[in-house]
Amino acid sequence: MDSVFYSRVLTELTLSFHIIYATIGVGVPLMIMLAQWVGIKKNDEHYILLARRWARGFVITVAVGVVTGTAIGLQLSLLWPNFMELAGNVIALPLFMETFAFFFEAIFLGIYLYTWDRFENQKKHFLLLIPVALGASFSAVFITIVNAFMNAPQGFNLVNGELINVNPLVAMFNPAMPTKVAHVVGTAYMTSAFLLAAIAAFRLLRGSNHVYHKKALYLTLKVGFIFSVSAALVGDLSGKYLAEYQPEKLAAAEWHFETEENAPLILYGVLDDGEVKYAIKIPYALSILAHGVPSAEVVGLDQFPEEDTPPLYIHYLFDIMVTIGMLLLMLSAVYWIGMWRRWSFIQSRLFRWLIVIGGPLVFISLEAGWWLAEVGRQPWILRNIMRTSEGATTSGQVPTMLVLFALLYLVLGIGSVVVLRRMFIRNPVEQEIVDRQQEKGGDIR
């Protein structure tokens, strides 16, 4: 059981670290593409420069993401050999396709970076970003399909411990796939937008009142608002998926202990000897979330054996994810409306600080959502087929691996932050604008 515990801790540590860089790796290419497209359309060098500078930083996060992604592949084989022996024969296709999508992205990213200023027609250079963005997004799609399979395994039969009738396509297009893929990709775009918005707002607060940062803020918060709305809509569909296919996970996340009609949605609160205290109850909301009807019956935890019940602390993760998501949606909506209505307070230091705070908050929401998804599947690594304890290694060397990988992630995390900080501090946007002005013989200030 010690090896199971340490395997879970190491996997959680790896995925929690990797998802930061993986999310940036999925979302930032879209932001680069949008910035360059707007720059070409408006003949605005500031947006072109946005794309250029974002692309430089993106390369660093890709490099770290490659290392952590490789670590995940290694750990799947070392820490979860029984799971890989079974599932690897069924779901290997999207794992291979994810690798292909990454190389597809990396090849065109290299060409895109190398050919800056080599195209007289910027539209031709822009075309290189399309496969970069597609490759990044499809990497997320294929790896999320693997995770969806773990929640809704299908496409094979297990007879006397042997796999028969394996159909990889059926395994890929499982019931969990649509909502999981849509949520992962949409929140990656949303997270990257709010991260870049926080950076732009911070530069404005530090006294760089350049229009470049204002344009960056406007573009990123507009994109952030759009994908905040999409995350809320897909979240509603995810609730309906859980009600039908994983009712125990929905019941644990909502502290819904007894099967009943007209079920209220419980937000916040604490558990005290099985009793919910200090919570906000929204009448009929859980029935609407689960089935779209206020009077619908929602299955409670009383219908499941205790050993098959997910940990109840996932309710707090749900609260964190939803609360931050709604706050960021409102923040971006106020900014967007404020720009349209010319409200002066959205230019205030207080409002810009709220945008800066939104940067780390969106990653907290991301982590909470990821833990909710993974812990909420417990005690299964392959739902209703293999328990987590059955899939893990029995090696006694896992604690040593945990220490070594933790040190690796510490070095990668600190190193990437230091490199990115030096990269942009030593090459401030104001100086780069002057340099490009001299190169082009024009004025882009």
Side-chain angles (χ1 to χ4, degrees), residues 119-250:
F119 287 96
E120 290 185 12
N121 186 347
Q122 278 288 322
K123 290 182 180 179
K124 294 180 180 179
H125 190 234
F126 168 80
L127 291 176
L128 293 169
L129 281 172
I130 297 176
V132 174
L134 287 176
S137 296
F138 275 100
S139 290
V141 168
F142 292 132
I143 204 66
T144 305
I145 286 174
V146 177
N147 184 265
F149 170 78
M150 296 166 70
N151 288 271
Q154 63 177 34
F156 66 97
N157 295 113
L158 195 60
V159 179
N160 297 326
E162 293 188 7
L163 285 172
I164 61 173
N165 302 326
V166 173
N167 190 326
L169 291 179
V170 173
M172 287 177 62
F173 293 97
N174 57 75
M177 187 273 287
T179 53
K180 274 196 168 291
V181 166
H183 198 62
V184 166
V185 175
T187 52
Y189 297 152
M190 168 187 161
T191 301
S192 297
F194 281 109
L195 169 65
L196 296 173
I199 294 171
F202 184 74
R203 293 300 301 145
L204 288 168
L205 284 167
R206 290 295 299 269
S208 180
N209 202 36
H210 201 283
V211 68
Y212 167 92
H213 300 299
K214 294 178 180 178
K215 290 177 179 179
L217 192 61
Y218 180 77
L219 175 64
T220 52
L221 283 183
K222 200 170 186 178
V223 175
F225 172 75
I226 292 169
F227 286 105
S228 295
V229 173
S230 78
L233 294 175
V234 176
D236 177 72
L237 296 175
S238 298
K240 291 172 173 55
Y241 160 78
L242 291 176
E244 183 173 355
Y245 294 98
Q246 290 181 275
E248 74 283 1
K249 183 176 181 178
L250 180 66

Side-chain angles (χ1 to χ4, degrees), residues 82-388:
N82 299 329
F83 165 73
M84 289 302 295
E85 183 180 2
L86 174 62
N89 292 307
V90 184
I91 205 68
L93 179 59
L95 287 171
F96 167 77
M97 294 174 72
E98 190 273 337
T99 303
F100 175 80
F102 169 75
F103 281 113
F104 183 72
E105 171 198 357
I107 290 167
F108 282 94
L109 177 62
I111 299 171
Y112 172 79
L113 293 171
Y114 180 73
T115 54
W116 267 111
D117 296 329
R118 293 176 182 266
F119 287 96
E120 290 185 12
N121 186 347
Q122 278 288 322
K123 290 182 180 179
K124 294 180 180 179
H125 190 234
F126 168 80
L127 291 176
L128 293 169
L129 281 172
I130 297 176
V132 174
L134 287 176
S137 296
F138 275 100
S139 290
V141 168
F142 292 132
I143 204 66
T144 305
I145 286 174
V146 177
N147 184 265
F149 170 78
M150 296 166 70
N151 288 271
Q154 63 177 34
F156 66 97
N157 295 113
L158 195 60
V159 179
N160 297 326
E162 293 188 7
L163 285 172
I164 61 173
N165 302 326
V166 173
N167 190 326
L169 291 179
V170 173
M172 287 177 62
F173 293 97
N174 57 75
M177 187 273 287
T179 53
K180 274 196 168 291
V181 166
H183 198 62
V184 166
V185 175
T187 52
Y189 297 152
M190 168 187 161
T191 301
S192 297
F194 281 109
L195 169 65
L196 296 173
I199 294 171
F202 184 74
R203 293 300 301 145
L204 288 168
L205 284 167
R206 290 295 299 269
S208 180
N209 202 36
H210 201 283
V211 68
Y212 167 92
H213 300 299
K214 294 178 180 178
K215 290 177 179 179
L217 192 61
Y218 180 77
L219 175 64
T220 52
L221 283 183
K222 200 170 186 178
V223 175
F225 172 75
I226 292 169
F227 286 105
S228 295
V229 173
S230 78
L233 294 175
V234 176
D236 177 72
L237 296 175
S238 298
K240 291 172 173 55
Y241 160 78
L242 291 176
E244 183 173 355
Y245 294 98
Q246 290 181 275
E248 74 283 1
K249 183 176 181 178
L250 180 66
E254 306 298 343
W255 284 351
H256 185 62
F257 295 104
E258 297 181 1
T259 302
E260 62 178 337
E261 299 177 350
N262 309 313
L265 180 68
I266 295 177
L267 293 174
Y268 313 115
V270 294
L271 270 181
D272 185 8
D273 293 329
E275 181 183 355
V276 180
K277 295 183 177 180
Y278 316 116
I280 299 173
K281 293 186 178 182
I282 306 175
Y284 311 109
L286 184 56
S287 291
I288 295 172
L289 174 66
H291 301 290
V293 179
S295 60
E297 181 180 85
V298 182
V299 177
L301 289 173
D302 58 339
Q303 301 298 309
F304 304 98
E306 186 175 347
E307 62 269 19
D308 293 343
T309 300
L312 295 181
Y313 72 79
I314 65 174
H315 173 77
Y316 301 115
L317 301 175
F318 174 82
D319 287 342
I320 292 170
M321 177 186 69
V322 171
T323 301
I324 294 176
M326 295 308 296
L327 287 174
L328 293 175
L329 191 156
M330 289 188 291
L331 181 70
S332 55
V334 169
Y335 178 85
W336 199 7
I337 296 170
M339 289 295 291
W340 175 53
R341 301 288 296 177
R342 299 185 183 278
W343 293 341
S344 59
F345 81 91
I346 64 169
Q347 309 291 348
S348 67
R349 290 185 61 84
L350 175 60
F351 193 82
R352 285 175 176 169
W353 271 116
L354 293 176
I355 297 171
V356 171
I357 294 171
L361 282 181
V362 74
F363 280 97
I364 293 173
S365 177
L366 176 75
E367 296 285 7
W370 184 246
W371 294 338
L372 169 64
E374 295 307 287
V375 177
R377 190 182 62 249
Q378 300 305 315
W380 305 101
I381 190 170
L382 200 58
R383 186 173 181 267
N384 290 337
I385 294 177
M386 179 183 286
R387 291 182 179 270
T388 303

